[in-house]
Amino acid sequence: MKKIVAILLAVATLSTAAFAAKKAKVGISMPTKDLQRWNQDGANMKADFEKAGYQVDLQYAANDINTQISQLENMITGKCKVLVIAAIDGSSLSNVLATAKKKKVQVIAYDRLIMDTDAVSYYATFDNYKVGTIQGDYLVEKLGLKSRSASDPVYMEFFTGDPGDNNINFFFGGAMDVLKPYLDSGVIVCLSGQTAKAQAATLEWSTARAQDRMENLITSNKYSPKGQKLDAVYCSNDSTAQGVTQALLSAGYTADNFPVITGQDCDITSVKNMLKGTQSMSVFKDTRTLAAQVVKMVEAILSGKAAPVNDTSTYNNNVKVVPSFLCEPVFGDVNNYKALLIDSGYYKESELK
């Protein structure tokens, strides 16, 4: 009889622990609502966590570092057990995360690696180096770089994202690993000479800043449909691509003579631009997949287990190599967007009209 009572008590204890874990509060810190992808990421994670029984504190920081720090402080004092953070600036959160660590709050860096702290437990993202190589390989194929020579070059400019976002090291690095041999051999010519990461950076991934810089490049290098040829603009993501597109449209380019433009995220505006012929491709990162993976990681953490990861060597934040889970990015263009985005339920067809 005593054995039966002990077993029942043990089962009750485990059930109570499991119930408590399910009812734990999770803090989700997103950088801004200004970019479509962060709205989708936040909404997808909130829905998945609530469906799994968790309480959720979702906050957007309006691209202001101090606001994000304040929101994280409130999440910590508000008894969040796990923080999922897409950092505005990957190196600005060391102090607040030191507090989280003291309070035994686990931290998952979301999509952007958080730098210079040992308080990050895990990193969940897409294979961002592969994003860059997909974009680079697309440009090689689309522009026929393998069969060209310096006597028949292509003219290209380069745009990447915010210098405070560690991801640009992977996006831009992956693309340049593919494209640099063609730059070195003269098959790609960048008239501005702005091929370094710092020169190509776009603060806050801002569409307006990308447009301003592209307008300056058009003026200073005399790019136009009837003047100096411009074959392509490498853009690390869709928000910068949209700024570049606006500048080119203002300069008189049309779908018939538009330079090749790369992108990332398959934002609605960029998908519409692909359909219009004013953006060539975008790398799709299905945020539903990443959100579902983060829920699995949090469930493991709150159960006292190691979170599932598939990379334990790549992502060094200057203090430690952060165990990571990398989801697969996918190429998207006008030929496969229906299967990729509409048939999968990511968008409704009416949203792309």
Side-chain angles (χ1 to χ4, degrees):
M1 184 67 179
K2 288 181 180 179
K3 286 184 179 180
I4 293 173
V5 171
I7 290 169
L8 291 172
L9 285 172
V11 170
T13 300
L14 287 171
S15 298
T16 301
F19 181 80
K22 283 288 186 183
K23 294 300 181 182
K25 186 187 286 188
V26 177
I28 302 174
S29 177
M30 296 283 104
T32 180
K33 281 188 171 182
D34 290 342
L35 296 182
Q36 176 192 318
R37 63 94 24 115
W38 296 122
N39 289 320
Q40 289 177 315
D41 283 61
N44 286 336
M45 274 193 288
K46 186 173 188 293
D48 282 2
F49 275 120
E50 289 178 343
K51 185 177 180 181
Y54 296 97
Q55 301 173 62
V56 177
D57 184 359
L58 169 62
Q59 300 290 332
Y60 292 88
N63 262 335
D64 182 80
I65 295 169
N66 290 329
T67 298
Q68 186 165 49
I69 290 170
S70 177
Q71 289 173 344
L72 290 169
E73 289 171 344
N74 290 336
M75 289 176 185
I76 294 166
T77 58
K79 309 295 185 184
C80 288
K81 298 298 184 184
V82 180
L83 300 178
V84 181
I85 305 170
I88 296 168
D89 183 327
S91 299
S92 65
L93 302 180
S94 298
N95 290 337
V96 69
L97 294 190
T99 302
K101 186 175 181 180
K102 286 179 184 177
K103 300 282 189 180
K104 301 188 184 306
V105 177
Q106 299 278 330
V107 175
I108 297 175
Y110 184 89
D111 198 58
R112 296 174 172 178
L113 184 61
I114 300 172
M115 308 298 290
D116 306 317
T117 174
D118 66 352
V120 181
S121 305
Y122 297 99
Y123 180 34
T125 188
F126 287 83
D127 187 337
N128 292 321
Y129 180 81
K130 187 172 182 178
V131 169
T133 60
I134 289 172
Q135 293 166 330
D137 288 340
Y138 177 84
L139 289 167
V140 169
E141 181 180 352
K142 190 74 173 178
L143 298 168
L145 298 186
K146 290 181 179 179
S147 61
R148 300 180 83 141
S149 67
S151 62
D152 179 31
V154 300
Y155 293 87
M156 190 183 304
E157 295 291 345
F158 296 84
F159 284 71
T160 191
D162 192 294
D165 183 351
N166 185 63
N167 280 349
I168 73 170
N169 295 317
F170 295 95
F171 300 146
F172 195 68
M176 292 304 280
D177 280 353
V178 174
L179 299 175
K180 191 174 184 299
Y182 299 100
L183 277 162
D184 291 345
S185 66
V187 172
I188 296 175
V189 175
C190 178
L191 289 179
S192 72
Q194 296 174 7
T195 60
K197 180 179 64 179
Q199 295 171 314
T202 308
L203 191 64
E204 296 178 348
W205 297 91
S206 164
T207 296
R209 292 177 191 274
Q211 181 173 346
D212 288 345
R213 179 167 168 254
M214 191 66 232
E215 287 172 351
N216 290 334
L217 292 175
I218 289 168
T219 300
S220 59
N221 296 286
K222 297 181 171 53
Y223 292 126
S224 77
K226 297 180 181 179
Q228 171 57 52
K229 186 169 68 162
L230 178 64
D231 295 289
V233 183
Y234 166 80
C235 296
S236 284
N237 85 322
D238 284 348
S239 62
T240 55
Q242 289 159 23
V244 168
T245 291
Q246 287 303 314
L248 292 169
L249 288 170
S250 296
Y253 288 90
T254 67
D256 292 333
N257 54 32
F258 220 78
V260 176
I261 310 290
T262 62
Q264 173 190 179
D265 293 327
C266 284
D267 285 353
I268 287 176
T269 298
S270 283
V271 177
K272 288 180 177 179
N273 286 343
M274 286 195 286
L275 297 177
K276 294 174 186 175
T278 57
Q279 183 170 324
S280 307
M281 60 83 74
S282 187
V283 178
F284 180 50
K285 302 193 305 188
D286 192 336
T287 55
R288 297 168 300 183
T289 302
L290 188 56
Q293 186 59 42
V294 170
V295 172
K296 291 178 184 177
M297 295 172 82
V298 169
E299 287 181 329
I301 289 168
L302 293 177
S303 299
K305 300 175 183 176
V309 296
N310 57 14
D311 187 303
T312 57
S313 61
T314 303
Y315 292 93
N316 190 320
N317 75 347
N318 297 329
V319 175
K320 61 186 280 191
V321 175
V322 182
S324 305
F325 192 97
L326 311 183
C327 298
E328 283 289 306
V330 182
F331 168 85
D333 68 1
V334 293
N335 297 310
N336 71 346
Y337 82 95
K338 284 188 177 180
L340 194 64
L341 302 172
I342 296 173
D343 295 348
S344 72
Y346 196 77
Y347 292 137
K348 296 177 182 176
E349 192 159 13
S350 59
E351 293 179 277
L352 304 179
K353 298 296 186 183

